[in-house]
């Protein structure tokens, strides 16, 4: 059974278009626990979780190299938008496409990093897509904290590497490029 873990990244650029991106890391249920253990070994010191923007450049590169050795695939949806587009609209566009892509790959279970009160907006999108039959009614979707699910760290790393690449810092993305399918949205 395929499962997916989704995280997002927002890069606000005051003098240019902003970037909103969402990454889904897809893993087979049989590999999930081994991948979690590997991700947990990447924490430094007393860190409770990995978080891309908090890691040193050298550690981000180590994380990227480790991800290439794990049995996972990734899809990243990217919305580059100007100030007239609200970030929540960009999120909706990215998530809608990710749900569609995951459903077409027969992913049965999806876990998103929780935004707590804003999760209701994602649930509304999910309900709309199910009602209009744009995705299967059987795909399970839940929201959780990255402190409780290490596989969200992998999604965070993939989306972070992608948005940093778009900002001219390509080192980590280049390591991961063969494992990432990037979809740019209009």
């Amino acid at each position: 059974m395929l499962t997916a873990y989704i995280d997002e990244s927002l890069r606000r650029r005051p003098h240019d278009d902003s970037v909103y991106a969402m990454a889904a890391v897809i893993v087979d249920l049989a590999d999930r626990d081994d991948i979690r253990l590997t991700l947990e070994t990447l924490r430094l010191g007393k860190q409770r979780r990995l978080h891309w923007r908090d890691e040193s450049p050298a550690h981000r590169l180590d994380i990227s190299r480790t991800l290439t050795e794990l049995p996972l695939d990734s899809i990243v949806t990217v919305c580059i938008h100007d100030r007239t587009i609200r970030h929540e609209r960009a999120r909706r566009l990215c998530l809608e496409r990710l749900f569609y892509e995951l459903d077409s790959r027969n992913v049965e279970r999806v876990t998103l990093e929780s935004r707590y009160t804003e999760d209701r907006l994602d649930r509304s999108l999910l309900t709309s897509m199910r009602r209009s039959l744009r995705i299967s009614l059987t795909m399970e979707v839940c929201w959780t904290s990255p402190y409780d699910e290490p596989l969200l760290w992998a999604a965070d790393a993939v989306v972070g590497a992608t948005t940093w690449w778009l900002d001219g810092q390509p080192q980590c993305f280049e390591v991961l490029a063969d494992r990432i399918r990037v979809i740019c949205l209009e």
Side-chain angles (χ1 to χ4, degrees):
M1 174 170 75
L2 293 178
T3 62
Y5 300 85
I6 297 176
D7 194 18
E8 49 79 32
S9 178
L10 168 63
R11 303 285 287 198
R12 292 184 181 148
R13 301 167 168 169
H15 306 294
D16 198 358
D17 291 339
S18 294
V19 175
Y20 198 101
M22 295 190 87
V25 172
I26 304 165
V27 303
D28 191 286
L29 185 62
D31 298 320
R32 192 173 61 177
D33 290 337
D34 290 338
I35 295 171
R36 283 180 178 137
L37 288 173
T38 300
L39 292 168
E40 287 174 353
T41 67
L42 292 169
R43 289 183 296 174
L44 300 175
K46 295 183 179 185
Q47 281 182 314
R48 290 184 54 211
R49 66 175 274 203
L50 292 178
H51 198 228
W52 191 255
R53 71 170 179 240
D54 297 335
E55 306 300 333
S56 71
H59 196 229
R60 285 193 294 264
L61 200 52
D62 288 341
I63 293 167
S64 300
R65 288 182 182 129
T66 300
L67 290 177
T68 65
E69 298 168 2
L70 297 174
L72 55 83
D73 288 311
S74 304
I75 303 170
V76 179
T77 52
V78 177
C79 180
I80 299 173
H81 59 93
D82 63 26
R83 292 186 197 120
T84 63
I85 303 292
R86 291 181 26 237
H87 298 304
E88 198 59 44
R89 172 73 177 140
R91 177 185 177 87
R92 185 178 175 93
L93 291 169
C94 288
L95 186 56
E96 182 176 26
R97 181 62 182 267
L98 268 185
F99 279 152
Y100 171 80
E101 293 291 332
L102 295 173
D103 190 51
S104 69
R105 288 186 181 207
N106 298 313
V107 171
E108 295 182 32
R109 187 176 299 154
V110 177
T111 301
L112 287 91
E113 180 173 344
S114 180
R115 299 184 304 153
Y116 303 99
T117 58
E118 288 87 5
D119 291 347
R120 65 181 167 67
L121 300 171
D122 296 344
R123 285 185 176 95
S124 175
L125 171 63
L126 179 63
T127 299
S128 171
M129 291 184 75
R130 284 179 171 159
R131 283 185 179 156
S132 63
L133 303 177
R134 289 180 284 160
I135 62 168
S136 154
L137 298 175
T138 59
M139 186 170 63
E140 294 177 34
V141 180
C142 66
W143 289 257
T144 193
S145 167
Y147 295 105
D148 298 329
E149 179 50 76
L151 281 156
L152 289 170
W153 309 345
D156 175 68
V158 168
V159 76
T162 304
T163 57
W164 288 48
W165 166 62
L166 291 169
D167 274 352
Q169 299 177 47
Q171 300 83 358
C172 294
F173 181 83
E174 288 172 351
V175 170
L176 292 165
D178 291 342
R179 305 305 275 303
I180 303 174
R181 177 176 172 222
V182 178
I183 300 170
C184 293
L185 307 173
E186 305 248 351

